[in-house]
Amino acid sequence: MKESKKTLDVEVPSEVLRVAKTLESNGFEAYLVGGCVRDLLIGRKPNDWDITTNAIPEKITAIFPNTFYENEYGTVGVVNEGVEDETLKVIEVTPYRLEGGYSDKRRPDSVEWSSKLEDDLRRRDFTINAIALKLPSTIVDLFEGEEDLKNRTVRSVGEPEARFNEDALRMLRAIRIAVELDFTLDPKTQNAIAFNAKHLKEMAPERIRDEFIRIVMSPRPHIGLILSHKLGLLGHIVPELEEGIGVAQNKAHSYDVFEHILRTVEHAAKKEFTLETRLAALFHDIGKPATRRWSEEKKDWTFYGHDVVGAKMAAKIMARLAFPKKTAENIVALVRWHMFFSDTEQITHSAVRRMVARVGTENIWHLMDVRTCDRIGTGRPKESPYRLRKYHAMIDEVMRDPLSVGMLKISGGRIMELCGIEPGPKIGHILHALLEEVLDEPGKNTKEYLEKRVLELNQLSEKELVAIGTKAKQAKEKQEEKTLKEIRKKHWVS
Ligand code: ATP
Ligand code: MG
């Protein structure tokens, strides 16, 4: 086994050292391995600490007082009580593994323990992830991982073709790791991905989603998306994005839909925006290819309704990738309303209030962020022109006004008391009818007015009440859509 002695200038936390030393003092081998060694060698802070050992799981759990079984691969979590650092709360200890054959390109048919470190390193995905470190400073590097680290290259351990055939997710991991570290893919590894890309669709959506999220959250998601497209993976993740390639936009845009989306997401990463904002940036114009129409009158392309269509598409994509419901809902709302109107001359407080009520008080800031990215992605030089800043100020202003039934100066309980009615849907209908009025005129949100109004509304049948609420809402939305369209036409072309 080739070993090289090396002194690392990054310190290994005492908690990690203690776990390794405890294994050793019990007669076992212990090596740091995987991402943490890679990160230590390039001066990056490790996300987690993985130790590999020749001890089998039962021995590991016997040595440490506080452990739990983590997964089907024999990983034992060693718990450190009372540490602050999240990455040190659980140190993962995994026995040397020898992988059995793969018949489904997903997971090995069997997981067998081995007594040799070499076996464990051989089954790892990339050379830079297959370096072991015996504390304090002995490096075991069987596949020239250090050389690849120096050259900033992601290269499969062994024959890339065979390794991607065993586990197709590794293809996406290769891209994820490359964009996280700003590395490039070794040409042979890259070719093997292009050749095996179709197998990605056999992967569990959750596993694809998790790597995809990391690409989106990396400092260069646009590079990851381009690579995924070029190597044929994107078509098995979000094929809808590829529909935007070569789809020219109207005169206000220099880029096709795909490139505009990439630039929008690039800016979201540059600003270190949240996952939801980045995904909304990614999906905001996904409805454009499907809604593009030529306008003879304008002599230009239009994309009417791309926000509505895009929101529906985003919902489908997120469900397909098994995103949590709440995340999906937020992103769908952001895509749906990303065209919100921001002409300061004509926008009213009530329209802003309604927008905040629609997307929610947290999302409204994400919506502003998406808009900023959208601008930069279009090639505009300025993030926040006067009208966006003005809109921002208006949001601040209306946030003090009621935006949901919870903010009304009357409660469901009080309504039951005043009207002498039992709990039931009617209370909700009355509350919503009140909210409709108050969104228009926040001045009406007083105990006196609402209590008087409740008694009037209570005279109506439930059917009438529902009709009032829905009618008011629809009429207003219709009016608003109409104004929006007119103004969009005037200012924005689409
Ligand atoms: P990070 O901690 O930043 O996510 P990582 O490289 O540690 O990066 P993990 O998912 O934590 O990634 O995996 C830990 C190690 O397990 C990897 O470094 C690699 O050696 C190995 N590994 C993970 N997934 C695979 C896989 N699909 N095939 C082969 N080896 C893998
Ligand atoms: Mg890791």
Side-chain angles (χ1 to χ4, degrees):
M1 214 185 272
K2 190 185 130 206
E3 292 191 1
S4 68
K5 292 256 186 219
K6 175 157 184 165
T7 319
L8 296 171
D9 42 5
V10 191
E11 268 185 39
V12 174
S14 60
E15 290 82 359
V16 178
L17 212 69
R18 188 182 58 80
V19 175
K21 288 297 148 200
T22 307
L23 282 161
E24 288 181 352
S25 65
N26 279 273
F28 297 106
E29 295 172 10
Y31 290 86
L32 282 184
V33 72
C36 64
V37 178
R38 174 199 71 209
D39 291 345
L40 282 177
L41 289 169
I42 57 177
R44 205 167 175 263
K45 186 182 183 299
N47 280 334
D48 47 33
W49 298 88
D50 296 324
I51 291 177
T52 186
T53 176
N54 59 347
I56 60 169
E58 291 69 23
K59 297 283 184 192
I60 306 169
T61 48
I63 294 174
F64 297 96
N66 193 352
T67 60
F68 61 94
Y69 249 117
E70 279 220 318
N71 56 36
E72 67 219 271
Y73 301 124
T75 303
V76 175
V78 174
V79 180
N80 284 308
E81 297 282 9
V83 287
E84 285 286 307
D85 189 332
E86 281 296 327
T87 65
L88 294 172
K89 290 197 165 140
V90 174
I91 312 276
E92 299 193 328
V93 181
T94 310
Y96 296 157
R97 264 169 56 193
L98 186 70
E99 271 177 356
Y102 285 74
S103 45
D104 65 354
K105 299 185 177 59
R106 278 192 190 201
R107 45 188 82 237
D109 299 332
S110 62
V111 177
E112 281 174 51
W113 314 147
S114 163
S115 56
K116 286 190 299 196
L117 172 66
E118 187 179 339
D119 289 333
D120 188 82
L121 297 182
R122 197 173 290 288
R123 61 112 187 145
R124 291 184 180 265
D125 48 6
F126 305 109
T127 62
I128 56 172
N129 285 347
I131 307 172
L133 169 64
K134 183 168 138 60
L135 294 172
S137 58
T138 311
I139 297 278
V140 180
D141 178 18
L142 306 179
F143 308 103
E144 296 174 20
E146 280 188 286
E147 188 62 21
D148 284 333
L149 271 183
K150 212 163 68 204
N151 298 326
R152 307 172 74 81
T153 303
V154 179
R155 180 198 315 274
S156 291
V157 170
E159 269 308 307
E161 184 66 33
R163 302 312 309 284
F164 294 136
N165 225 299
E166 282 167 5
D167 178 357
L169 194 76
R170 286 175 188 151
M171 299 187 286
L172 202 51
R173 282 179 60 85
I175 292 175
R176 182 266 274 185
I177 291 166
V179 293
E180 279 185 343
L181 303 178
D182 199 11
F183 279 28
T184 52
L185 299 182
D186 149 67
K188 245 184 107 184
T189 301
Q190 184 160 316
N191 289 341
I193 295 179
F195 192 75
N196 284 286
K198 58 180 177 300
H199 295 306
L200 191 69
K201 63 175 180 290
E202 292 150 43
M203 296 293 101
E206 294 80 5
R207 295 184 73 203
I208 294 181
R209 175 200 63 204
D210 288 346
E211 295 298 333
F212 186 67
I213 287 178
R214 292 192 59 167
I215 291 173
V216 170
M217 288 309 286
S218 80
R220 43 196 78 74
H222 52 297
I223 309 268
L225 290 161
I226 292 170
L227 256 179
S228 305
H229 162 63
K230 289 208 164 126
L231 299 181
L233 296 171
L234 190 56
H236 302 293
I237 311 169
V238 190
E240 293 87 346
L241 284 169
E242 295 185 330
E243 289 165 17
I245 296 171
V247 174
Q249 305 201 62
N250 61 41
K251 290 171 194 138
H253 290 258
S254 340
Y255 313 116
D256 71 14
V257 172
F258 188 60
E259 185 171 355
H260 164 60
I261 287 176
L262 293 179
R263 286 173 180 269
T264 304
V265 176
E266 177 182 3
H267 192 69
K270 190 174 153 201
K271 301 293 285 185
E272 297 183 7
F273 284 149
T274 62
L275 175 66
E276 290 184 8
T277 302
R278 292 185 196 207
L279 287 173
L282 185 65
F283 297 142
H284 80 286
D285 275 353
I286 206 150
K288 274 192 168 172
T291 53
R292 189 172 76 147
R293 303 276 179 277
W294 180 257
S295 159
E296 265 310 318
E297 181 196 334
K298 291 187 179 136
K299 300 277 178 255
D300 206 351
W301 294 107
T302 63
F303 300 90
Y304 292 120
H306 80 271
D307 39 7
V308 179
V309 172
K312 286 194 180 128
M313 290 172 72
K316 265 197 192 144
I317 295 166
M318 314 250 345
R320 202 171 64 215
L321 288 173
F323 272 90
K325 213 170 144 227
K326 189 69 203 150
T327 311
E329 275 171 16
N330 286 339
I331 291 158
V332 168
L334 294 174
V335 174
R336 171 64 187 87
W337 300 111
H338 81 272
M339 297 291 289
F340 69 89
F341 155 61
S342 65
D343 191 312
T344 45
E345 301 298 303
Q346 291 165 67
I347 189 119
T348 61
H349 278 97
S350 127
V352 176
R353 212 174 287 126
R354 207 159 283 280
M355 184 56 68
V356 178
R358 259 182 206 134
V359 300
T361 47
E362 263 172 51
N363 258 337
I364 191 72
W365 300 117
H366 293 153
L367 191 65
M368 295 294 281
D369 288 343
V370 171
R371 181 54 156 271
T372 298
C373 298
D374 192 1
R375 283 184 61 82
I376 299 295
T378 307
R380 314 270 168 87
K382 238 163 112 186
E383 265 189 356
S384 230
Y386 175 77
R387 46 181 205 165
L388 267 192
R389 292 201 309 277
K390 174 72 184 165
Y391 200 96
H392 192 118
M394 286 175 82
I395 294 172
D396 274 338
E397 284 161 32
V398 306
M399 290 277 252
R400 292 170 314 188
D401 297 334
L403 298 161
S404 72
V405 290
M407 292 156 157
L408 291 174
K409 292 258 160 45
I410 194 165
S411 67
R414 181 70 182 138
I415 293 176
M416 293 193 292
E417 209 174 274
L418 284 170
C419 306
I421 50 177
E422 296 293 304
K426 189 165 183 189
I427 318 289
H429 298 320
I430 294 180
L431 281 169
H432 278 102
L434 294 176
L435 181 65
E436 279 301 314
E437 290 188 29
V438 167
L439 282 177
D440 265 350
E441 280 182 58
K444 288 185 174 170
N445 192 23
T446 64
K447 192 165 167 269
E448 295 70 36
Y449 177 80
L450 296 179
E451 292 198 347
K452 184 177 110 249
R453 192 71 185 117
V454 160
L455 294 175
E456 291 165 15
L457 290 170
N458 187 40
Q459 301 304 312
L460 303 173
S461 74
E462 198 163 315
K463 220 170 144 190
E464 286 170 308
L465 263 179
V466 176
I468 287 182
T470 331
K471 217 167 135 194
K473 216 165 149 181
Q474 277 172 352
K476 272 169 207 143
E477 288 196 352
K478 219 166 152 188
Q479 182 54 42
E480 206 173 306
E481 288 286 321
K482 210 178 128 215
T483 338
L484 278 175
K485 279 228 169 91
E486 280 165 9
I487 289 150
R488 275 183 211 160
K489 252 186 193 161
K490 211 165 102 198
H491 293 267
W492 265 8
V493 226
S494 83

